[in-house]
Every structure is written in C-alpha cells, then in structure tokens.
Amino acid sequence: MASEEQNESTITQAPFGKTPDGREATLYTLTNKNGVTVKITNYGGIVASILAPDKAGNIEDIVLGYDQVYGYIPNDPYFGALIGRFGNRIAKGKFYLDGKEYTLATNNGPNHLHGGPAGFHTVFWDVEELPQQNALKLTYTSQDGEEGYPGTLTTTVVYTLTDDNSLLIAYEATTDKPTPVNLTNHSYFNLSAGKTQDVLSHVATIDADRYTVVDDSFIPTGELRPVADGPMDFTSPKVIGTEIEDVEGNGYDHNYVINDYDGSLKKIASVYEPTSGRVLEVESTLPGVQFYTGNFLNGSLTGKGGQVYIQRAGFCLETQDFPDAPNQPSFPNTILRPGEIYKATTVYSFSTREK
Ligand code: GAL
C-alpha cells in the first residue's frame, strides 16, 4: 500500500449517518500523495478528521470530533465547523447599520455567538468535488432575515488539500443588502492525536503584540492591550500550560491582533507538540485569531474512537475579524455591501520536526 508511486491524490465519499430530521449526511475524504487525509461533511461544512504523520511516520487523527453526524447534533463546542455569518460574539445580538437597528438570535447569555443557534455550523452545504485541485467547493445561500441578518448571503468555502500537507480554506461571500460577515473554521487540534489528553504541553507562537480585551461576557471593551511579557504573550514559543492559570478568565479565549495586518496571506501562528514532533503552522489574510484552549470542555463529551474530551483537550486558532466589530467603530470593517466580494484565506499546514 505504501509504495512510493502509488500515492495519488483522491476524493471519495461515504455515508455519514442521518440528522434527526432524516437527512443523510455525506463524508468526503481528500487524500494527498503523502497519505495525509482530511475528511469533511456537508453537514455544517465540518472538518471531521485530519490524519497527519508524526515524526516516526504514524498517520493519526489530530482534530476533535465524532464518528457519525449525529455526534455533531448539537455541536455545542462547534467541533470542526464552518462558522457564519459572524464568528465570535455580537453584543446583546444587536447592531446598527446605515441607521437601522437589527436584532439577531441570541445563544450565549445575552449575546449572539458564532452566527446564532441555526448558524452555518448547522446547515447542509452543497458540495462540488474539484478533483483537479484535490478540493471541495461548499456553497450555502443564507436567506434574508436568517438568524436576524439582513440580505441574502451566498457563501462558498473551498477546502483544498495540497501535496505539501496543507489544508487551504478559501472563503467568499456576496450579498444583496449590507450585512456583517465574519467567517471562520472552528477545528480543535490536539497534535499528539489524543496521547496527551489535553494540550497544555503544546508549544504555541502567535504573531501578535496585542489582543482585544473583553468584559465578563466576552464582549470587547474596545481596548487593544499589549501582551507585554505576561501570560498573554506568545510572540516567542511558549508551552501553553505555563501561565494559563494566570490568564484572566478561564484560560485562553482571546482574539489576538495580528501584527502588521495588511490583508496579505502570511504566517500568523504555529504550534509544536513535543512527543509526536507534529507542527501546525497557520497562515491567514485576516486581522485576528481567536486562540481558544477548549476551556468549556469538561469530560462530558466522548468523541471519535471513544476519546473523552476533558477540559483543554484541544485548542482552536480561529482566524477572524474582531469580535463584535459591527458595534465597534475602531475595529476593522466587517460590513459587506452589494457588489463587493468578501474574501479570506486561511492555511493550516502540517509537518514534523525532531525537537
Ligand atoms: C470559541 C469561543 C468560546 C466558546 C467556544 C465554544 O470560539 O471563543 O468562548 O464559546 O467557541 O465553546
């Protein structure tokens, strides 16, 4: 099986079980010539598995999730999901746009989180296979008024698995009325493939000198605070667990302000796991990244292969615009207008190193 010339990139499909309303989900498997495999379902556009080699060549699954679609219903942690229309929080589910107030569905205390209870993570996406590029093109049309948002928003997300072991995610959206847009993917990584039950021994680097300070309902105050030398500082590699208890709140769950943001695709973060030698590098065109250490996981969910997801079993690097941007005039604009195209690209690359 592992002969050198055998490995061509392929796309296959298999049934992934039914949702409670009786719809069949499909699991698409992208494999590249190195045997790296990414599995994606049309339900929620969820990345259900990423199989990547460790330094000894063992190919194992490095994301949290479930073996069947029903595991993802409800998907309270948003494992692997596409998030839209607006990732992260919008304060009290309200915003003003062109002089009019809009009210969104709320699902996180008083706030709107990750597009609302029926956000993009809960819908069936149309999937087109693009075998030439080893890619899947997912499309979803969100109707005017969905979750309270104005305008019909058509979103496409292209997931490409490259032969240099990168998962490239290209987002595009257009609208017929002005509307906020902030798309992301909510994969939780554990680069040890679950051998370390939590991610506290992973070593993270984030190219951000500042982060957006939040209040106790996770809404930005507007302040961009220097990471200084404290627990928030990942400008040079740091073991995630070293200072996590000194972080305000419940662990890392903060939007980092990427240095020298100019909309170009550039490296924004990397994470290394010492026992497996696996390295995740993240590139993005976006101005922020939510570094979230799975603080709300508590051992009540059992995922793929019977793995119990304890607190901090995975970490997320959700590339994004800033939380609550529709209510924060000093933050980069997140309003998409008719005739414009929202575009964002994020690349997750998988490699290994000895030390
Ligand atoms: C993160 C968010 C957390 C939590 C999590 C889902 O993106 O920052 O506060 O809501 O999603 O459990």
Side-chain angles (χ1 to χ4, degrees):
M1 155 88 195
S3 83
E4 272 167 37
E5 60 274 36
Q6 159 265 305
N7 292 311
E8 289 296 327
S9 44
T10 55
I11 305 179
T12 59
Q13 325 184 351
F16 197 47
K18 282 187 182 160
T19 54
D21 58 2
R23 286 189 72 173
E24 271 291 351
T26 302
L27 189 67
Y28 296 82
T29 299
L30 305 177
T31 304
N32 75 5
K33 68 176 169 64
N34 311 316
V36 169
T37 294
V38 175
K39 299 186 186 191
I40 291 161
T41 174
N42 53 346
Y43 177 76
I46 291 168
V47 175
S49 296
I50 298 177
L51 294 125
D54 68 5
K55 62 186 173 190
N58 302 307
I59 295 189
E60 296 166 311
D61 199 340
I62 57 168
V63 290
L64 277 49
Y66 299 100
D67 292 315
Q68 288 283 323
V69 74
Y70 57 74
Y72 291 98
I73 301 169
N75 187 4
D76 290 333
Y78 303 87
F79 285 146
L82 290 180
I83 304 293
R85 292 185 193 189
F86 200 96
N88 217 303
R89 291 169 177 84
I90 295 181
K92 304 203 165 48
K94 291 197 184 291
F95 63 94
Y96 280 90
L97 176 53
D98 299 339
K100 188 167 170 217
E101 188 182 46
Y102 291 90
T103 302
L104 304 172
T106 53
N107 57 339
N108 189 243
N111 300 322
H112 173 89
L113 175 66
H114 292 332
F120 291 3
H121 62 291
T122 68
V123 304
F124 275 89
W125 293 71
D126 290 331
V127 179
E128 186 188 344
E129 295 184 12
L130 305 174
Q132 302 283 323
Q133 291 105 294
N134 205 26
L136 300 175
K137 180 178 180 182
L138 282 70
T139 304
Y140 176 65
T141 301
S142 168
Q143 298 304 323
D144 190 0
E146 196 172 285
E147 298 297 80
Y149 288 103
T152 310
L153 186 78
T154 302
T155 301
T156 63
V157 179
V158 179
Y159 283 115
T160 304
L161 176 61
T162 69
D163 277 335
D164 59 1
N165 299 353
S166 295
L167 174 63
L168 190 149
I169 312 178
Y171 303 88
E172 280 196 18
T174 55
T175 185
D176 61 5
K177 288 184 191 162
T179 188
V181 180
N182 183 17
L183 305 174
T184 193
N185 175 276
H186 209 294
S187 289
Y188 287 65
F189 297 93
N190 180 322
L191 301 179
S192 79
K195 295 202 178 64
T196 66
Q197 275 210 298
D198 63 41
V199 293
L200 295 178
S201 56
H202 288 48
V203 184
T205 313
I206 305 173
D207 186 19
D209 293 338
R210 294 173 300 166
Y211 67 101
T212 51
V213 178
V214 287
D215 66 17
D216 51 18
S217 74
F218 294 91
I219 297 298
T221 62
E223 184 190 352
L224 307 184
R225 187 177 292 169
V227 295
D229 282 332
M232 297 302 291
D233 186 2
F234 283 94
T235 52
S236 49
K238 183 160 76 188
V239 176
I240 291 174
T242 317
E243 294 176 300
I244 197 166
E245 299 307 332
D246 302 329
V247 175
E248 266 180 57
N250 192 20
Y252 295 102
D253 191 0
H254 296 82
N255 172 60
Y256 281 79
V257 176
I258 300 305
N259 290 336
D260 306 319
Y261 162 69
D262 61 5
S264 65
L265 183 69
K266 58 183 174 181
K267 184 168 161 184
I268 61 155
S270 63
V271 182
Y272 166 66
E273 197 284 306
T275 58
S276 64
R278 286 194 185 89
V279 178
L280 167 68
E281 292 198 342
V282 186
E283 290 166 274
S284 183
T285 59
L286 288 165
V289 64
Q290 187 83 4
F291 179 46
Y292 172 57
T293 45
N295 312 312
F296 294 117
L297 300 175
N298 61 10
S300 63
L301 301 175
T302 301
K304 286 177 279 185
Q307 185 100 27
V308 174
Y309 295 137
I310 65 166
Q311 192 184 37
R312 301 180 180 143
F315 68 87
C316 303
L317 285 163
E318 304 153 52
T319 57
Q320 61 182 1
D321 270 284
F322 296 177
D324 196 36
N327 293 309
Q328 306 262 354
S330 64
F331 287 178
N333 171 57
T334 53
I335 303 301
L336 181 72
R337 295 182 180 274
E340 298 174 344
I341 305 177
Y342 168 97
K343 282 190 185 189
T345 302
T346 294
V347 184
Y348 295 105
S349 300
F350 311 102
S351 58
T352 59
R353 64 174 208 245
E354 278 308 313
K355 275 193 216 157

